[in-house]
């Protein structure tokens, strides 16, 4: 994915190709997956269906492949502000670390999976924090698609091989909202420029939300003009709140839902 991100930075790959390439890169990951392919039926549906688990087989592996495609592209499309790409990655990764620490001692069955995730996420967070120091406003290093693809695939790997892909999707709530809001532009229903960035007002030094459909411009339209640094902080606070909400949702519903 690092190589594909570099190629995208250099060659300006079309969106339809961007959606296809991560699925090819995810094939070794899916071949290495040795876990179960069944899902636990929610408790409210068990009396109606008459069983507790359902083996999805190849459909589950298709879901994991789509998860890898989503993770690699979702960070890439919620971007364009100094510190945003690396900042959201660090927050999600810290949420993953917290989840791993909370779960590693609860079950012998999942201990090794969460330990694997910890081994990957600790150096990943450390190196990303170092990068964030140079990528924060005013940035002296621009990460481009090379980092965003790498970061998304790293998170997809730990989510899949760590057997907590559903929880990983919860941590990606802002990215899911951004993707859903961006669908008309991503699929060319409405015009989509190469970079969907806000406008800069040279007189005030503030950013102005454009008509492009992403959370970056939506925040500017909802909350008004602000500096690039303030916009990044607002979006990262939203990421933290969403991760906190997902923790609460997961553990409040754990006993009732599954």
């Amino acid at each position: 994915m690092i190589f594909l991100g570099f190629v995208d930075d250099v060659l300006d790959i079309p969106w339809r190709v961007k959606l296809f390439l991560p699925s090819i890169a995810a094939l070794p990951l899916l071949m290495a997956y040795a876990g179960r392919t069944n899902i636990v039926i929610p408790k409210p549906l068990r009396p109606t269906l008459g069983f507790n688990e359902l083996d999805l087989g190849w459909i589950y592996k298709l879901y994991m492949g789509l998860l890898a495609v989503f993770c690699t592209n979702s960070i890439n499309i919620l971007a364009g502000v100094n510190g945003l790409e690396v900042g959201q990655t660090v927050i999600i990764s810290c949420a993953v670390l917290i989840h791993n620490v909370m779960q590693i001692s609860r079950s012998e069955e999942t201990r090794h999976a969460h330990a694997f995730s910890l081994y990957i996420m600790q150096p990943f967070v450390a190196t990303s924090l170092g990068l964030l120091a140079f990528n924060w406003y005013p940035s002296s290093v621009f990460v481009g698609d090379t980092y965003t693809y790498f970061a998304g695939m790293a998170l997809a790997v730990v989510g899949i091989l760590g057997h907590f892909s559903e929880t990983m999707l919860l941590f990606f709530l802002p990215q899911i909202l951004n993707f859903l809001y961006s669908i008309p532009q991503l699929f060319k229903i409405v015009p989509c420029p190469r970079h969907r960035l806000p406008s800069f007002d040279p007189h005030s030094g503030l950013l102005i939300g454009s008509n492009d459909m992403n959370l970056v411009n939506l925040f500017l339209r909802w909350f008004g003009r602000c500096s690039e640094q303030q916009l990044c902080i607002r979006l990262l606070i939203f990421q933290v709140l969403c991760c906190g909400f997902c923790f609460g949702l997961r553990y409040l519903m754990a006993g009732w839902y599954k």
Side-chain angles (χ1 to χ4, degrees):
M1 287 313 303
I2 293 175
F3 174 72
L4 293 177
F6 173 75
V7 170
D8 188 21
D9 283 329
V10 174
L11 299 180
D12 189 12
I13 298 176
W15 273 107
R16 60 183 180 274
V17 180
K18 290 183 183 182
L19 294 175
F20 173 73
L21 290 178
S23 61
I24 302 299
L27 288 178
L29 170 65
L30 299 180
M31 293 176 65
Y33 181 77
R36 302 190 302 174
T37 58
N38 60 322
I39 60 172
V40 179
I41 302 299
K43 289 181 180 179
L45 298 178
R46 291 177 188 177
T48 303
L49 298 177
F51 50 86
N52 296 339
E53 293 186 355
L54 175 64
D55 188 3
L56 297 179
W58 65 270
I59 299 177
Y60 191 82
K61 291 202 171 186
L62 175 63
Y63 154 73
M64 292 189 295
L66 294 175
L67 176 66
V69 173
F70 171 76
C71 288
T72 53
N73 284 285
S74 62
I75 294 177
N76 187 41
I77 64 175
L78 183 54
V81 177
N82 286 178
L84 180 57
E85 298 96 322
V86 187
Q88 64 184 297
T89 301
V90 168
I91 293 170
I92 295 173
S93 301
C94 288
V96 169
L97 286 173
I98 294 171
H99 173 69
N100 293 148
V101 171
M102 295 174 68
Q103 294 292 318
I104 196 169
S105 61
R106 297 190 63 178
S107 170
E108 187 65 32
E109 181 182 359
T110 59
R111 180 187 300 273
H112 294 294
H114 287 292
F116 167 80
S117 178
L118 284 169
Y119 297 152
I120 300 295
M121 285 290 99
Q122 288 180 87
F124 179 67
V125 170
T127 52
S128 295
L129 285 172
L131 177 60
L132 182 60
F134 292 94
N135 185 240
W136 191 255
Y137 182 87
S139 176
S140 58
V141 172
F142 299 96
V143 295
D145 295 337
T146 304
Y147 175 81
T148 57
Y149 280 12
F150 160 69
M153 185 58 80
L155 292 168
V157 165
V158 298
I160 292 172
L161 298 184
H163 308 305
F164 57 94
S165 58
E166 292 178 352
T167 302
M168 181 66 75
L169 275 178
L170 291 176
F171 293 147
F172 271 79
L173 181 57
Q175 288 72 25
I176 293 174
L177 295 175
N178 183 63
F179 170 73
L180 293 175
Y181 183 49
S182 301
I183 283 177
Q185 284 192 314
L186 296 181
F187 291 94
K188 302 296 184 180
I189 300 173
V190 297
C192 180
R194 165 66 174 165
H195 298 291
R196 302 179 299 157
L197 300 175
S199 303
F200 177 73
D201 183 359
H203 300 291
S204 62
L206 302 178
L207 297 179
I208 307 171
S210 68
N211 291 324
D212 290 316
M213 304 175 75
N214 57 20
L215 286 185
V216 174
N217 289 294
L218 185 63
F219 265 56
L220 287 170
R221 293 198 297 270
W222 277 2
F223 303 111
R225 303 180 180 186
C226 64
S227 67
E228 185 170 349
Q229 185 175 16
Q230 289 174 325
L231 177 60
C232 181
I233 292 173
R234 290 176 182 178
L235 289 165
L236 294 183
I237 289 174
F238 180 62
Q239 182 77 59
V240 171
L241 293 175
C242 286
C243 287
F245 168 77
C246 294
F247 270 117
L249 181 66
R250 185 186 188 281
Y251 290 104
L252 284 174
M253 298 185 65
W256 171 80
Y257 186 68
K258 287 187 177 180

